[in-house]
Amino acid sequence: MMRYSKTLELPSSLRLLTVAILAVLSLLLMSPTNALQVAVIGTTGNIARETVELLSKSGIQTRCLLRHDINSVDFTLKSPTSNSSSKEVAAYLNDLPNVEMIMGDITDKQSVNDLVQGCDAIMALQGPPKPNPITTLIPFLSDPSSKTHPYMISYIGIKNIIEAINAMNDTSGVKPHIIRVTGKGEDPFSIFSILINMLGNMAKGWNYEGEILLRKSGLDYTIIRPGLLNGDYQEQKKSKNVERQRN
């Protein structure tokens, strides 16, 4: 087993596209050809959208897990804007070449099993939405079994991916490479993380637990930690951590 770790120092002015490029480069480096099929989870998020665009332009067959029914969406813009809904983003991506939408949810085992079939890599770009701080402080108002809870997205979701890959019927013996874009890798037990966790349904804690699942899975993976991201791209940290493991 070999683990490769590297820290990349990048200017804070770079956009989310930088993270998408890092993810795609990580994918391309594992194979000398572009004859790949990739699964993308978290399809309508900012990072995933730009990643899917880049995969499409690279001629890579891309299967996107999608929770939204886009059959009735009338989207005519050349590209989504900051005001576009998730359904509109999905409709835009669905029209790109080399892109296929697979209906399902990361929290549903069968959905993930269907998604990963025939894929060479899984891009796990999903993340939970920002919770209501009031409900997170009152335990009985925060349901860990909710599909949007960090436990379901960042832990059960990763668990479902690992189990789906291990259950694949592939006579070649080659398992898909998992690319996970996650948090900044802070100590989940630091005072700062504990305070943030109290207001965010233990989001950092479940990110941490999801990473542990990857490390113990025995599968090839790359973890990309882009740091703090927002629409203005002004709050990004300079330290970009990339962790890779091949077995």
Side-chain angles (χ1 to χ4, degrees), residues 17 38 43 142 162 168 182 190 198 205 209 219 238 242 244:
L17 181 59
V38 178
T43 303
S142 180
I162 293 171
M168 289 177 65
T182 182
S190 69
M198 289 176 63
E209 293 295 329
L219 300 172
K238 288 181 66 177
V242 178
R244 164 174 283 179

Side-chain angles (χ1 to χ4, degrees), residues 79 169 229:
S79 180
N169 295 320
L229 297 173

Side-chain angles (χ1 to χ4, degrees), residues 3 6 11 21 30 48 91 95 121 123 129 147 158-159 168-169 181 189 210 232 238 241:
R3 174 170 295 167
K6 185 176 182 180
I21 291 173
M30 78 177 193
D95 286 338
M123 288 191 165
K147 290 185 177 182
I158 295 298
K159 183 172 180 287
M168 289 177 65
N169 295 320
V181 175
F189 305 108
D232 296 328
K238 288 181 66 177
N241 297 319

Side-chain angles (χ1 to χ4, degrees), residues 158-170:
I158 295 298
K159 183 172 180 287
N160 286 344
I161 293 171
I162 293 171
E163 291 181 352
I165 290 175
N166 286 330
M168 289 177 65
N169 295 320
D170 189 343

Side-chain angles (χ1 to χ4, degrees), residues 105-119:
D105 192 284
I106 182 63
T107 64
D108 177 63
K109 286 186 178 182
Q110 190 58 52
S111 294
V112 181
N113 287 344
D114 294 341
L115 176 73
V116 304
Q117 294 304 313
C119 288

Side-chain angles (χ1 to χ4, degrees), residues 139-238:
F140 65 84
L141 293 180
S142 180
D143 181 9
S145 66
S146 168
K147 290 185 177 182
T148 60
H149 194 283
Y151 167 72
M152 297 298 292
I153 299 293
S154 302
Y155 181 75
I156 294 299
I158 295 298
K159 183 172 180 287
N160 286 344
I161 293 171
I162 293 171
E163 291 181 352
I165 290 175
N166 286 330
M168 289 177 65
N169 295 320
D170 189 343
T171 57
S172 71
V174 179
K175 300 290 187 180
H177 189 107
I178 302 173
I179 298 173
R180 174 64 170 141
V181 175
T182 182
K184 294 184 288 182
E186 308 98 330
D187 178 0
F189 305 108
S190 69
I191 294 177
F192 172 76
S193 293
I194 291 173
L195 290 174
I196 295 298
N197 278 325
M198 289 176 63
L199 297 175
N201 280 334
M202 296 297 295
K204 290 184 180 294
W206 290 122
N207 257 336
Y208 178 79
E209 293 295 329
E211 287 190 16
I212 290 178
L213 285 181
L214 277 180
R215 295 190 182 98
K216 292 182 176 180
S217 68
L219 300 172
D220 293 347
Y221 71 82
T222 300
I223 294 176
I224 300 175
R225 301 190 184 93
L228 186 63
L229 297 173
N230 62 35
D232 296 328
Y233 315 110
Q234 298 302 316
E235 301 292 333
Q236 296 182 40
K237 302 297 184 181
K238 288 181 66 177

Side-chain angles (χ1 to χ4, degrees), residues 37-40 43 52 60-66 70 90 93-103 114-115 117 119:
Q37 181 163 268
V38 178
V40 175
T43 303
V52 172
I60 296 175
Q61 296 298 317
T62 306
R63 308 185 73 192
C64 300
L65 189 63
L66 183 65
I70 58 174
L93 294 176
N94 186 53
D95 286 338
L96 296 179
N98 308 307
V99 175
E100 175 188 6
M101 294 294 171
I102 307 295
M103 293 300 297
D114 294 341
L115 176 73
Q117 294 304 313
C119 288

